[in-house]
Amino acid sequence: MLLCIDTGNTNTVFALWDGRTFVGTWRASTEHQRTADQYFVWLSTLMATRGLSDAVIDEVVISSTVPRVVFNLRVLCDRYFNCRPLVVGKPECRLPVPPRVEEGVRPGPDRLANAAGAFDRHGGDVIVVDFGTATNFDVVATDGAYVGGVISPGVNLSLEALHMGAAALPHVDISQPDKVIGTNTVECIQSGVFWGYTGLIQGITARVKAEYGKPMKVIGTGGLAPLFAQGEDLFDVVEDDLTMHGLTVIHAFNKETK
């Protein structure tokens, strides 16, 4: 089976793909100090709770926005799965359609995976709104190429910065408030963050569509996408596994073109 690993600045997701569906998905905090042995003990223990053996893993594909983590993930693959991982963004990893950006620019591997996954499921002319440490807007052209996008601070990052920068303001969990005008501090913060990001998504996607000049589908992904989908008509579809699906698409393309 194929193990897909997506390492972000905050969390790392492991998902096991049997060729048709993901049979298990597990999440850990991203720590560059974590060794290959620690990864293996953690992952094999969680797999066992699903009745899965680590012996079924014979291929690995990795997307990582944290370069320091990749070395230990490579060791994990070599030591325990007896394979060389395919690392998105490295020269040896081919893409179904190369990105079209400024010369010398290397788009984040998660953005390349989003483009591949979105095009495989929905075709081109799409905007992927990915809620992570940053909130990314990825623009995928008619032929499936990543052609640029927008990066804004993530929701939880903004909440943390507000809490750290203003001593009198508490840290709150993000949720959809019942009304816009808050009558206590927590409600005021929740309203500002939820409706503020709702406006940000509406504004940026509208401007991208106007600049792009064609009808576009908007796809929400990432942990907070379902929450923001409740507030307004922001997305045409929400997919929680879009990045991981993109990794399977890229991996399959590289196997076919060897």
Side-chain angles (χ1 to χ4, degrees):
M1 289 190 191
L2 173 66
L3 178 64
C4 302
I5 305 175
D6 176 36
T7 299
N9 289 290
T10 304
N11 292 315
T12 298
V13 180
F14 295 75
L16 194 60
W17 174 255
D18 69 359
R20 295 170 300 174
T21 188
F22 290 108
V23 297
T25 301
W26 304 274
R27 184 181 299 265
S29 59
T30 298
E31 297 177 5
H32 68 268
Q33 304 96 331
R34 186 170 285 142
T35 67
D37 300 327
Q38 289 173 318
Y39 277 121
F40 178 73
V41 170
W42 173 83
L43 180 60
S44 59
T45 300
L46 288 174
M47 288 179 64
T49 65
R50 298 278 189 92
L52 298 167
S53 168
D54 57 84
V56 303
I57 299 172
D58 55 9
E59 296 177 298
V60 180
V61 58
I62 298 171
S63 163
S64 177
T65 58
V66 187
R68 296 172 68 185
V69 171
V70 175
F71 174 78
N72 283 330
L73 291 176
R74 286 185 182 274
V75 174
L76 168 72
C77 298
D78 178 64
R79 182 176 298 168
Y80 292 105
F81 306 137
N82 194 31
C83 70
R84 179 183 177 87
L86 179 69
V87 182
V88 179
K90 296 298 183 181
E92 65 271 17
C93 178
R94 294 177 294 275
L95 298 171
V97 184
R100 291 194 294 274
V101 292
E102 289 185 10
E103 186 176 353
V105 172
R106 289 188 176 183
D110 55 334
R111 310 188 84 167
L112 298 175
N114 283 344
F119 183 71
D120 184 67
R121 285 181 171 171
H122 303 283
D125 302 329
V126 300
I127 305 168
V128 178
V129 183
D130 189 354
F131 293 85
T133 305
T135 300
N136 292 333
F137 297 74
D138 304 323
V139 180
V140 185
T142 305
D143 62 350
Y146 170 82
V147 293
V150 178
I151 300 174
S152 62
V155 177
N156 288 317
L157 188 64
S158 295
L159 278 169
E160 188 65 27
L162 186 63
H163 171 62
M164 295 295 293
L169 297 181
H171 188 281
V172 303
D173 294 326
I174 181 63
S175 64
Q176 181 181 349
D178 295 328
K179 54 188 186 300
V180 175
I181 302 173
T183 55
N184 58 59
T185 302
V186 170
E187 288 181 355
C188 290
I189 295 174
Q190 289 177 332
S191 183
V193 172
F194 184 86
W195 295 115
Y197 270 86
T198 295
L200 179 142
I201 296 163
Q202 290 172 325
I204 289 180
T205 54
R207 287 178 177 274
V208 168
K209 290 177 180 180
E211 186 173 299
Y212 192 75
K214 294 181 183 178
M216 304 183 78
K217 180 177 287 186
V218 181
I219 304 170
T221 191
L224 291 175
L227 172 65
F228 280 91
Q230 298 173 12
E232 296 285 336
D233 187 20
L234 299 179
F235 312 117
D236 294 292
V237 64
V238 172
E239 297 192 7
D240 59 357
D241 66 345
L242 185 68
T243 307
M244 307 309 279
H245 177 69
L247 291 179
T248 70
V249 172
I250 293 173
H251 181 267
F253 178 79
N254 278 264
K255 288 188 69 174
E256 292 168 0
T257 56
K258 272 188 177 180

